Amino acid sequence: MSELLVQQAQAGDERAFEELVSPHRHELHVHCYRMLGSAEDAEDAVQESLLRAWTRVGTFAGTSTFRAWLYAIATNVCLDVLRRRKRRPWPTDVIEAAEAGSVPGEPADIPWLQPYPDSLLGEASSAEDSVLARERIQLAFLTAIQQLPPRQRAVLLLCDVLSWPAKEAATALDMTPTAVYSALRRAQATLAARVPDRADALTSSTGTDRTTLEKFVRAWESADMDGLVSLLAHDARLVMPPYQTWYQGPAAIATFLASPMPDSLARAKVGNHTRLLPTAANCQPAFGLYLQSADRTGYERFGIGVLTLDAEGIHEIAVFMLNPALFDLFDLPAAA
């Protein structure tokens, strides 16, 4: 059936082409997100990839699967994007942790790594695949691979995540198999050094995630600082893109959350002027943060928060602020 669809698409049948690509659109979006670190950029990359695939469908020779052919095109589209702009960093890679009691500076004009809603992820085919998929979309993994040169990142995703043979990856990226093996080894070494406790990060279950998120929401909304601190690991971090400033350790985090803040952050303080609605991002517990409106008649969307858990508790609180468009990606209301 697929061979017939390919023949029809190559003859100019747009409906046949759409039938060929539609089963893969979801996973291509995830792949482009991993490459680019932004769901918005991933959407643009998928659209460009499908346009290229349509204009080049006549060149598909059947030496690989149509899915692999699409992935090769999408990967090269992402590499083209990465040649035009810098990687998406994480605040902890930009500056050192701020001292307790210090005030954040102005938001930085940096294309930060962004969260990815679980609602856009496909279903895993097995329990093992589910664990691997969870690891390979979490923020710890994403922040680590953003440090890789683009071609190393592509090799890692094709060979380690998609399990492509080196020869197939080499063909897709116009490299030799030897160059692919070399790039893969370097990428794996960098990843192992940056995320040494990846296995530990996967010990939490969905139930644990949900319980921790519920406790976190209650503590934040009721201004229960002791309860919130009790949920934090000893090396917990608070990051707040687009602010570069970040804090490490329960004491520093508590001091910041309890202290007067700049105007742009003042209304986000822990307490009863906020509402948190649970959601999920990057296979991690997450929440939409809403601030009380100026007329106090409701709560307006402000940021998306994502919790990274380890065996000790919450290892990182990431709150993505000042980007209302992110809410459009999540199944969250415009007001609470």
Side-chain angles (χ1 to χ4, degrees):
M1 180 61 177
S2 60
E3 291 182 7
L4 177 59
L5 288 174
V6 169
Q7 292 171 4
Q8 292 171 336
Q10 291 177 328
D13 188 336
E14 293 187 24
R15 184 174 298 179
F17 177 77
E18 178 60 29
E19 192 170 342
L20 280 169
V21 302
S22 60
H24 311 299
R25 194 185 298 266
H26 234 37
E27 57 181 308
L28 286 175
H29 197 276
V30 176
H31 176 66
C32 291
Y33 168 71
R34 288 189 176 107
M35 282 290 297
L36 302 175
S38 161
E40 296 162 324
D41 287 356
E43 180 61 29
D44 292 341
V46 169
Q47 295 303 320
E48 174 62 22
S49 299
L50 297 183
L51 177 60
R52 288 190 191 183
W54 170 242
T55 59
R56 301 175 186 178
V57 69
T59 68
F60 176 67
T63 54
S64 67
T65 65
F66 195 80
R67 173 178 179 266
W69 185 71
L70 288 175
Y71 264 101
I73 292 175
T75 303
N76 281 288
V77 166
C78 291
L79 289 174
D80 288 344
V81 173
L82 293 170
R83 291 187 189 100
R84 299 192 298 267
R85 68 156 175 77
K86 297 179 180 179
R87 63 180 177 85
R88 288 182 175 270
W90 199 235
T92 57
D93 296 320
V94 176
I95 60 173
E96 297 295 322
E99 294 185 5
S102 63
V103 177
E106 293 298 313
D109 185 17
I110 295 175
W112 298 103
L113 178 70
Q114 295 179 351
Y116 195 83
D118 281 13
S119 59
L120 296 183
L121 296 173
E123 294 292 328
S125 58
S126 68
E128 181 180 4
D129 287 346
S130 178
V131 172
L132 291 174
R134 178 183 173 91
E135 175 187 356
R136 291 164 176 174
I137 201 66
Q138 288 185 335
L139 289 179
F141 179 80
L142 270 296
T143 56
I145 67 171
Q146 291 298 308
Q147 299 297 312
L148 298 174
R151 197 162 289 271
Q152 282 188 32
R153 194 185 313 170
V155 167
L156 181 82
L157 293 178
L158 292 178
C159 295
D160 262 14
V161 175
L162 297 177
S163 301
W164 281 25
K167 184 177 180 180
E168 190 172 358
T171 299
L173 300 173
D174 194 21
M175 299 169 66
T176 66
T178 299
V180 167
Y181 280 122
S182 177
L184 181 60
R185 286 195 298 271
R186 292 196 299 272
Q188 290 170 333
T190 300
L191 192 62
R194 286 187 56 85
V195 197
D197 57 348
R198 289 163 68 191
D200 293 341
L202 298 176
T203 56
S204 64
S205 65
T206 302
T208 301
D209 289 356
R210 188 183 304 112
T211 299
T212 301
L213 179 59
E214 289 172 352
K215 291 179 179 178
F216 180 87
V217 169
R218 286 198 300 270
W220 186 294
E221 291 187 342
S222 63
D224 178 6
M225 195 61 67
D226 289 340
L228 194 152
V229 167
S230 71
L231 298 172
L232 304 179
H234 78 282
D235 58 349
R237 307 184 303 199
L238 170 65
V239 300
M240 305 169 292
Y243 294 90
Q244 296 185 72
T245 307
W246 60 282
Y247 301 90
Q248 184 159 36
I253 293 172
T255 298
F256 168 72
L257 292 177
S259 300
M261 299 186 190
D263 290 344
S264 56
L265 291 173
R267 291 193 297 138
K269 286 188 66 175
V270 171
N272 60 6
H273 296 298
T274 60
R275 288 290 181 270
L276 276 64
L277 298 185
T279 185
N282 298 83
C283 287
Q284 298 173 226
F287 56 90
L289 173 62
Y290 295 79
L291 309 185
Q292 191 172 58
S293 59
D295 59 9
R296 300 192 176 186
T297 59
Y299 293 84
E300 303 168 339
R301 58 190 186 178
F302 180 75
I304 300 292
V306 184
L307 305 181
T308 298
L309 309 184
D310 61 21
E312 286 192 26
I314 298 174
H315 171 67
E316 184 174 78
I317 306 168
V319 185
F320 301 84
M321 303 177 180
L322 308 182
N323 187 358
L326 283 179
F327 272 78
D328 297 334
L329 296 172
F330 288 80
D331 188 20
L332 291 168

